[in-house]
Amino acid sequence: MNLHLTHARAVTRREFLSRNGKLGLGAIALQTLMPQGFSTGPQMANALTAKASPLPSKVKSVIYLGMSGAPPQHDLFDWKPELVKHHLQDCPEEFLKGQTFAFIKGRPKLCGSPYKFKQYGKGGAWVSELLPHFTKIVDDVAVIRSMNTDQFNHAPAELFLYTGNMRSGAASMGSWATYGLGSENQDLPGFVVLLSGGTDPTGGKSLWGSGFLPSVYQGVQCRAAGEPILYANNPAGMNGETRRRSLDALKALNEGEAAQFGDPETVTRIAQYELAYRMQMAVPEVMDITKEKQDILDLYGAKPGEASFANNCLLARRLVEKGVRFVQLFDWGWDMHGTGPDTDLTTGLPKKCLQVDQACAALVQDLKQRGLLDSTLVIWGGEFGRTPMNEARGGGTLLGRDHHPHSFSMWMAGGGVKAGTSFGETDELGYFVTQDKITVRDLQATIVHLMGFDPYKFSYKYQGLNQRLIGPSNEGQIVKGILS
């Protein structure tokens, strides 16, 4: 026996605290520093068990349709005839003074939309000819034309919108939802992410990360084509019985570690292994859209076996129907700078609208006909807006719009949302919001409210602070004008 080592261990703080047990002063002090919900024992309630919201709410599930890259609102929802009238004329100086742009240099020209608009529905919402299918659901949605953010680059703007912080490390909106409400299906993830457009959103996987929340609440990325979840299936040479024995052995080891160290992430690891085992059967079934009737496939424009936004919208309906709490779709390709044919307003934008318009309308229609719209909150939009000026980067001749934080458009539908509403106004050129401004913080507060929580009290203690989706201040306000 090494007497020097034994003596050194005996005088360390760690040894002292461990010998004093759970009733020692060290354990008591340590407990005050632990995150909310931390347990020192191996037996924790299932973190994803469905919970009732503390406030009355119709919403059981959320589907967020994230148009990554920021759609140009002037060509979709914010009709500006004065902008068309002054197309390619110099932008007024008052709109440029003190403003910072991502790419525009010098004094740009105004850019009127090349598309025709008409008013639809009881709210008289202006809708572009690029969105013919959307006109069929305009009385089921609230169109918002007065969104505002303080970020004008993609990654920080997306992080700010979906996590409440423009830097990585905060909890995503879907993680907050599953933290607060759990999931109604224990065989599926509570928070599912589906991607289209050929790449991840600029903000990366942090947009569906759990941040400071336990990792059991992070989003699980699924694929519409191929193996739905990578690495969930048994590897070659392992059958279900062998996998079950392996998981039982791992569970015993992890429970022993949890009992000794009390790390909640160890308990999370146990739960995630078990969920992965159950998902081997449940996920392929719910992701198999060949089981849908042909008229439903045609409604969405979905084609089994393809990776597409249309397929993802149909999958989103199937997932919430099975009790998944939060489904996040990201569709990349909306960064219409006019630097090439794919980002030109006259060639690239119609293609993107064709890819999403039918499926978005079908999702709302399908939820409604199944009696799910009242219990599902559907949100559509990008991370910021586009300028009313033509970018013309490097003297280019194509039509495109730079990043614009001061105003943009989005729409919401479903539980608690005032259907048939056209909300907010911008100035005659669509540059600044002039009526009913909604900030990102306002939007977050409203979504949290619709899920049945007080946005000012819905929090998680971390690093000595009550962390919230809406941030540390109470600047975010619930937008009552879009609530039913």
Side-chain angles (χ1 to χ4, degrees):
M1 178 182 294
N2 189 326
L3 296 179
H4 293 290
L5 177 60
T6 302
H7 175 72
R9 289 184 60 188
V11 298
T12 62
R13 286 177 295 174
R14 181 177 299 175
E15 188 74 9
F16 170 76
L17 294 174
S18 66
R19 287 180 182 275
N20 272 273
K22 290 186 177 180
L23 297 179
L25 293 175
I28 295 172
L30 181 63
Q31 190 69 27
T32 66
L33 301 176
M34 291 300 180
Q36 179 178 328
F38 184 89
S39 170
T40 56
Q43 300 301 323
M44 285 180 65
N46 184 355
L48 289 177
T49 298
K51 312 176 189 75
S53 61
L55 301 176
S57 172
K58 297 179 180 179
V59 176
K60 293 183 178 180
S61 301
V62 179
I63 299 175
Y64 202 124
L65 309 173
M67 304 294 106
S68 186
Q73 71 275 17
H74 303 90
D75 305 291
L76 300 178
F77 299 109
D78 201 10
W79 168 234
K80 295 299 172 185
E82 283 297 307
L83 194 58
V84 174
K85 179 179 177 181
H86 298 289
H87 180 60
L88 295 184
Q89 295 180 13
D90 288 343
C91 180
E93 188 64 33
E94 61 264 28
F95 290 111
L96 304 175
K97 188 176 181 180
Q99 298 298 313
T100 301
F101 301 97
F103 297 100
I104 283 177
K105 306 295 181 184
R107 188 171 184 179
K109 307 287 187 183
L110 295 174
C111 181
S113 178
Y115 301 105
K116 297 177 181 178
F117 280 70
K118 289 183 181 179
Q119 284 182 288
Y120 295 88
K122 56 188 177 184
W126 288 98
V127 182
S128 166
E129 62 182 320
L130 290 175
L131 303 174
H133 292 278
F134 180 79
T135 63
K136 302 173 186 177
I137 62 166
V138 72
D139 274 339
D140 296 309
V141 310
V143 178
I144 303 168
R145 297 177 304 209
S146 52
M147 286 300 305
N148 172 273
T149 183
D150 57 10
Q151 301 297 315
F152 65 91
N153 283 318
H154 295 292
E158 288 185 328
L159 286 165
F160 183 43
L161 176 62
Y162 296 112
T163 76
N165 195 312
M166 65 287 299
R167 292 177 290 276
S168 298
S172 61
M173 194 179 294
S175 295
W176 277 111
T178 50
Y179 163 64
L181 297 172
S183 179
E184 293 188 331
N185 189 327
Q186 299 304 302
D187 294 335
L188 293 170
F191 175 17
V192 172
V193 179
L194 300 166
L195 307 181
S196 57
T199 187
D200 290 359
T202 312
K205 291 178 171 54
S206 292
L207 300 182
W208 56 91
S210 57
F212 41 74
L213 294 175
S215 56
V216 69
Y217 300 117
Q218 71 183 3
V220 175
Q221 183 181 340
C222 293
R223 304 188 305 164
E227 189 177 343
I229 299 179
L230 295 176
Y231 314 119
N233 290 335
N234 293 329
M238 178 176 282
N239 58 27
E241 182 181 350
T242 305
R243 170 58 68 90
R244 184 64 266 170
R245 291 202 307 269
S246 300
L247 289 177
D248 289 341
L250 281 171
K251 181 179 180 182
L253 291 171
N254 284 322
E255 285 180 343
E257 183 177 325
Q260 182 177 2
F261 299 107
D263 186 349
E265 285 301 308
T266 305
V267 182
T268 289
R269 187 159 62 241
I270 296 171
Q272 295 294 63
Y273 279 138
E274 292 298 324
L275 176 59
Y277 182 76
R278 298 193 302 272
M279 285 195 306
Q280 289 182 357
M281 294 295 292
V283 170
E285 180 181 356
V286 75
M287 301 291 285
D288 184 7
I289 64 173
T290 62
K291 300 184 180 204
E292 295 287 340
K293 295 180 179 179
Q294 188 61 47
D295 62 328
I296 295 296
L297 294 174
D298 293 342
L299 178 68
Y300 283 85
K303 297 179 180 179
E306 291 187 359
S308 68
F309 180 79
N311 283 14
N312 288 351
C313 282
L314 178 51
L315 287 171
R317 189 270 292 163
R318 289 175 63 87
L319 287 164
V320 299
E321 198 171 31
K322 292 293 186 179
V324 173
R325 186 67 69 189
F326 200 104
V327 185
Q328 176 72 66
L329 275 62
F330 287 106
D331 182 64
W332 171 251
W334 293 91
D335 201 16
M336 296 293 160
H337 285 284
T339 54
D342 289 341
T343 63
D344 176 34
L345 294 180
T346 57
T347 55
L349 182 58
K351 291 179 182 178
K352 284 306 300 179
C353 290
L354 191 63
Q355 292 170 10
V356 307
D357 179 42
Q358 179 179 347
C360 288
L363 175 62
V364 173
Q365 291 171 314
D366 199 12
L367 289 170
K368 186 176 181 179
Q369 71 185 8
R370 292 169 188 270
L372 293 171
L373 187 58
D374 283 344
S375 61
T376 306
L377 177 62
V378 183
I379 309 162
W380 183 99
E383 63 269 29
F384 47 63
R386 314 301 301 196
T387 58
M389 301 92 76
N390 189 32
E391 182 177 315
R393 192 188 309 181
T397 58
L398 299 178
L399 293 181
R401 304 185 188 276
D402 202 353
H403 306 173
H404 190 67
H406 300 303
S407 65
F408 60 106
S409 300
M410 63 187 306
W411 58 263
M412 301 172 68
V417 174
K418 189 175 182 180
T421 303
S422 188
F423 190 83
E425 296 287 347
T426 57
D427 59 48
E428 62 182 12
L429 297 182
Y431 198 102
F432 292 113
V433 174
T434 57
Q435 181 179 325
D436 296 323
K437 179 189 290 188
I438 300 179
T439 68
V440 167
R441 292 294 191 211
D442 296 334
L443 176 68
Q444 292 163 344
T446 304
I447 292 172
V448 171
H449 169 77
L450 286 169
M451 289 192 296
F453 295 92
D454 183 334
Y456 312 107
K457 296 179 180 178
F458 187 41
S459 64
Y460 184 86
K461 187 173 287 295
Y462 176 71
Q463 292 185 342
L465 298 175
N466 290 324
Q467 305 287 346
R468 305 181 303 183
L469 177 63
I470 64 170
S473 73
N474 289 343
E475 64 186 274
Q477 299 296 308
I478 297 169
V479 185
K480 297 181 180 179
I482 62 171
L483 303 182
S484 59

